[in-house]
Structures are given as C-alpha cells and as structure tokens.
Amino acid sequence: MYLPHVYNGRNRTFFFADYEGNRQPNTHLSQYVVPSATMRQGDLTGLSGGKAVDPGNGAPFPGNRIPASRINPVATRLLGGYYPLPNIATPGAAYDYQTLSSGDYYADGYDFRVDHVLNARQRIFARWSAKSSDSVCGGCWGPLPASDYFSANKGLVLAHTLTRGAGLSNESPLRDHTD
C-alpha cells in the first residue's frame, strides 16, 4: 500500500476489500385446497372421510351439516382472515384456489482485510466480514400471510504470525469473534 506523502508501505502492507450483492426477485404459482363458502357455514355434504360427528354425544350431525350455532366464532374469523374463498371451479381438479406468490431473496456481504509485514519474522492481519440476507416468502405456508426472514452475520479475526527460524512458526489469533 502506497499513499503519496502519507505512507510508504510498499511490499509491507496489503489491503483487500470486496462487496457481494445478490437480488433474486421471484414469483411462483401457488395452488391450494381451501374451504368453500358452504363448508364455512357448516355444510360438509359431499366431503369424503365420513360423517361429521357431534363431539357432545358422538352422534353424526343430520345431513352432515353442523348447525351455525355450534360453529366457533374464532374459527369463523380465522377462516375469513387467513383462507380465501375458492377461485377455481374446475370439477375434479386437485385444487380450488390459485394465486401468484412472491419469494424474493436479497443478500449483501462484504469483507475487508489488511495484512502487514512488521519485519522479516513477524506478520499481522485483520479481517472483518459481514453478510445479511432478507427473504420474503408469500405462499410458503399455504394461504397464510407472507413471512419475512432476516439474518445478519459478522466476524472479526486478528492474527499475529512469528517465524522463529526455518520450519518453526507460531501463529496466534489475537481475536476471533463471529456474531
């Protein structure tokens, strides 16, 4: 490293830096089976898997229909808030709802490193690295709201190398910290 009129570290000080950016916008087709409007009202006729049974007495509900008074209002609110109504009406289809979902991924990382030769027998170096990533996944958990995942990692290394003679060297980390 050479800075005119400031520092002459030619053949003694070495500096390295890099940056990595990754942008992956993504959209994919998601297909689900969601409860129909009649199912939300308790009408389970035509559903495979047997009859709906009254948990109070073990008897099947008449006509495989759960009375509106027996449907929990919390369940009604959850269904209305998280599960959309079907938007596909193809008989025999394996799904009844489809949407375009996002799955974006973004990452930024950088490294800085400085090596310095103190004398013919001693060297030191320092390295700082950091990387962060952020991903948004819409449709990853079915029709539930999109999830956002962020992670950040940082690391610092300081080291000193001493060469005592031919074939004899000692490298001691002064600090090695990863976050």
Side-chain angles (χ1 to χ4, degrees):
M1 173 186 268
Y2 177 72
L3 299 171
H5 307 292
V6 177
Y7 178 71
N8 185 3
R10 217 169 267 199
N11 296 326
R12 293 185 58 206
T13 304
F14 306 92
F15 179 76
F16 171 82
D18 71 13
Y19 167 78
E20 174 189 3
N22 189 346
R23 304 290 181 266
Q24 295 179 9
N26 186 14
T27 303
H28 58 276
L29 181 65
S30 299
Q31 300 170 330
Y32 307 105
V33 175
V34 295
S36 67
T38 56
M39 287 179 189
R40 295 167 190 242
Q41 295 168 0
D43 185 354
L44 305 178
T45 57
L47 260 174
S48 61
K51 301 273 184 192
V53 177
D54 185 340
N57 60 20
F61 284 110
N64 212 22
R65 288 187 170 102
I66 302 169
S69 63
R70 300 287 304 274
I71 297 174
N72 188 314
V74 173
T76 301
R77 227 178 337 207
L78 286 172
L79 281 171
Y82 291 110
Y83 285 91
L85 288 168
N87 63 4
I88 301 291
T90 306
Y95 57 90
D96 59 5
Y97 180 79
Q98 69 181 13
T99 186
L100 287 175
S101 302
S102 66
D104 300 340
Y105 174 79
Y106 304 101
D108 294 293
Y110 59 87
D111 301 288
F112 297 104
R113 179 173 171 146
V114 176
D115 289 71
H116 183 72
V117 178
L118 294 171
N119 56 45
R121 294 178 38 205
Q122 295 187 73
R123 299 171 183 264
I124 58 173
F125 89 84
R127 181 183 67 228
W128 170 259
S129 299
K131 183 170 186 172
S132 63
S133 64
D134 191 14
S135 60
V136 176
C137 189
C140 291
W141 308 108
L144 293 175
S147 60
D148 188 3
Y149 177 75
F150 177 79
S151 74
N153 299 296
K154 299 173 192 156
L156 172 67
V157 178
L158 301 172
H160 173 249
T161 303
L162 173 64
T163 305
R164 297 238 177 231
L168 182 60
S169 173
N170 176 31
E171 182 175 329
S172 58
L174 301 174
R175 176 120 169 95
D176 186 352
H177 177 72
T178 302
D179 201 18

